[in-house]
Amino acid sequence: MDIRNNWSKKEILGVYNKPLLELIFQAAEVHRRYNDSSEVQVSSLLSIKTGGCPEDCSYCPQAARYHTDVKVHRLMEVDEVLEKANNAKANGASRMCLGAAWREVRNNRDFDKVLEMVKGINAKGMEVCCTLGMLTDEQAKKLEEAGLYAYNHNLDTSEEHYDEIIGTRTYEDRLNTIKSVRKTNITVCSGGIIGMGESTEDRIGMLLTLANMDKHPESVPINALVAVEGTPLEEQPEVPIWDMVRMIAATRIVMPKTVVRLSAGRTQMTKEGQALCFMAGANSIFAGEKLLTTPNPDFDEDMNLFNTLGLKAREPFKDKKAKVEKKEKAEA
Ligand code: SAM
Ligand code: DTB
Ligand code: SF4
C-alpha cells in the first residue's frame, strides 16, 4: 500500500467502523510495515507562557475569559527553559515542546527570546517543537533559522464542528499557519481532540483534511479532552478508551508513516488501554508529570510501562540521520 492523499470520507469511515479487533490488527500491520514498532518517540512539554489567552477555545483552561485555576505567568526566561530541557534530556526525552498561550506570534522581544530558547535547546542535541499560535511566513522562516524541528498547530476538529468550539479564529486561519510552516523545512505537527461533543463524521472529517494534505503532517497528536472545571466543556463525559483506540488506528492506517501521538488524557486511561493504543499504531507520547497545565503520568511510570510492553524511547533526529545515511550510501 502506498502513502495516499486521495482518501474519501466514506473510505475513512469504513476504516474507523471496522470490527474493533480487525481494525487494531490492520493498523498494527500497517505500523509494522512502515515504522519500527518497538520505538516510541518521547516528548517533554513545557508551558513557557501560561494563561491569559485572548482566544475562546472552549476546551482550553488558558483562555482568559473562563474562570479556571490556571495562574497567568509571563514568558519564562531563556535560562530557566534551558534548565528544564536539561532535565527532560536526562530523563530520556528526545524532543522538547514549548507551548505559549498566545493567539499568534508578534514580532517583539518575547519572540526573540523564544528564538533564543530554540537555538539553545537545539544545541543540546534535542529536537525542538513550538506551539505558539498563528504564524506568518516570515516568522516561520525565523524559527527555521533558529533550528526549530517541528511546529504544532492543531486542526482540533472537523471544519463543520469547528465553529462550535472556537469563534475567535477560523479553520482557514489554521490551515494558513500550517501552509506557512510547510514553506520551510520545519516539520508539521497537527492533530486534534476527541470528546468535545463531535460526531464520528467530525472525527473522520478532521482525519480526511490531514490525510489529504499534499504532504501528511510528520506528526499527528490525538488528544482526549481533559475536561477542565471552568471551561465550557467541563461537563463533557470522559472519552471511552475504545474511541481513542479507533481514532489512533484510523490515523495510523490513513497516514502510515506519520508519528501518531497518544497525547492528552492518559491519566484517565488504564495501562491496558494505553497498550492497545500502542498496538493500534501510536508511537509517541508526552512524558513528564505535567502537560501544559494539567497532570500527566510520571516519567518513571511511563518507563515501567515501556519495559512491560517491550517498547523503547526513540533517539533524537533519527529521520534526519536516516536521510543523511541514505544519501551518503547513494553517493558512495
Ligand atoms: N495557543 C496555541 C494554540 O492554540 O495553537 C498553542 C497552545 S494550545 C494549548 C495547543 C493545543 O492543546 C490545542 O490546539 C489543543 O488541541 C490542545 N489542548 C488544549 N487544551 C486541551 C484540553 N483541555 N484537552 C485536550 N487538549 C487540549
Ligand atoms: C497537543 O496536541 N497536545 C498538547 C500539545 N499539543 C501542545 C497540549 C495538551 C494540553 C492539555 C491541557 C493542558 O495541560 O493545559
Ligand atoms: Fe489560547 Fe491556544 Fe488555549 Fe486557544 S488553545 S485559548 S489559542 S492557549
Side-chain angles (χ1 to χ4, degrees):
M1 197 166 76
D2 283 337
I3 306 233
R4 294 174 45 191
N5 50 14
N6 59 352
W7 291 91
S8 72
K9 201 163 183 181
K10 210 169 144 206
E11 265 181 306
I12 306 184
L13 200 60
V15 169
Y16 183 93
N17 281 329
K18 265 179 193 268
L20 185 64
L21 294 179
E22 284 307 310
L23 174 61
I24 297 173
F25 180 71
Q26 193 192 339
E29 251 187 350
V30 170
H31 187 35
R32 275 152 188 75
R33 209 173 317 141
Y34 287 91
N35 308 291
D36 178 347
S37 59
S38 68
E39 283 187 344
V40 176
Q41 188 252 324
V42 177
S43 296
S44 177
L45 193 51
L46 178 66
S47 183
I48 55 172
K49 189 266 164 183
T50 309
C53 183
E55 298 293 272
D56 69 351
C57 311
S58 46
Y59 48 78
C60 188
Q62 302 198 66
R65 66 189 73 200
Y66 310 137
H67 300 283
T68 66
D69 282 344
V70 169
K71 295 211 169 48
V72 179
H73 197 292
R74 61 179 166 74
L75 187 70
M76 284 172 75
E77 292 303 329
V78 179
D79 287 352
E80 254 180 296
V81 173
L82 296 186
E83 197 49 48
K84 296 270 185 195
N86 284 342
N87 289 344
K89 191 177 179 192
N91 274 330
S94 63
R95 180 179 294 188
M96 189 78 192
C97 181
L98 310 178
W102 287 334
R103 169 188 160 80
E104 76 239 305
V105 168
R106 304 245 172 96
N107 296 317
N108 56 17
R109 281 179 50 199
D110 275 359
F111 185 42
D112 293 340
K113 277 192 191 170
V114 173
L115 294 172
E116 284 308 307
M117 294 171 192
V118 172
K119 276 185 203 151
I121 300 172
N122 202 26
K124 294 179 190 299
M126 290 181 93
E127 299 170 2
V128 198
C129 172
C130 280
T131 181
L132 314 168
M134 295 189 281
L135 284 184
T136 62
D137 285 0
E138 294 69 36
Q139 290 162 342
K141 201 84 207 131
K142 279 193 179 159
L143 285 164
E144 179 188 31
E145 281 158 14
L148 191 71
Y149 189 86
Y151 195 80
N152 167 251
H153 200 63
N154 289 338
L155 293 181
D156 281 341
T157 188
S158 68
E159 186 166 10
E160 293 75 21
H161 189 61
Y162 186 85
D163 291 350
E164 304 281 317
I165 305 297
I166 300 160
T168 46
R169 89 204 121 150
T170 64
Y171 213 64
E172 209 185 337
D173 289 332
R174 298 242 158 180
L175 292 168
N176 284 338
T177 291
I178 296 172
K179 275 190 199 144
S180 295
V181 178
R182 265 290 171 244
K183 290 182 191 157
T184 69
N185 276 323
I186 301 169
T187 61
V188 170
C189 172
S190 186
I193 309 175
I194 64 170
M196 302 193 296
E198 73 286 345
S199 64
T200 301
E201 292 245 326
D202 288 317
R203 293 177 185 173
I204 303 312
M206 180 181 90
L207 287 184
L208 186 75
T209 306
L210 295 168
N212 284 348
M213 286 179 171
D214 290 340
K215 196 170 175 203
H216 293 163
E218 283 78 2
S219 88
V220 173
I222 303 294
N223 297 276
L225 175 75
V226 182
V228 179
E229 216 181 300
T231 63
L233 296 179
E234 64 180 355
E235 302 280 0
Q236 280 298 314
E238 211 171 273
V239 173
I241 186 68
W242 309 122
D243 289 22
M244 200 64 189
V245 174
R246 279 191 188 280
M247 193 65 186
I248 284 182
T251 309
R252 169 53 65 221
I253 292 168
V254 299
M255 291 175 272
K257 261 194 92 59
T258 288
V259 172
V260 179
R261 184 169 305 118
L262 170 59
S263 302
R266 287 196 303 120
T267 51
Q268 308 152 32
M269 297 173 200
T270 62
K271 300 274 188 292
E272 294 83 353
Q274 294 180 56
L276 276 179
C277 292
F278 292 125
M279 190 69 204
N283 60 346
S284 170
I285 55 164
F286 286 118
E289 63 202 22
K290 217 171 182 197
L291 289 166
L292 290 172
T293 65
T294 64
N296 194 45
D298 279 351
F299 200 84
D300 290 349
E301 209 179 320
D302 282 334
M303 292 310 118
N304 281 337
L305 181 60
F306 280 14
N307 280 336
T308 306
L309 301 180
L311 295 172
K312 58 178 191 283
R314 171 187 162 132
E315 60 175 278
F317 300 110
K318 217 176 158 190
D319 277 346
K320 258 194 189 164
K321 274 182 205 151
K323 257 191 215 157
V324 172
E325 275 165 22
K326 208 168 152 192
K327 197 167 162 239
E328 282 170 357
K329 248 193 199 165
E331 285 167 1

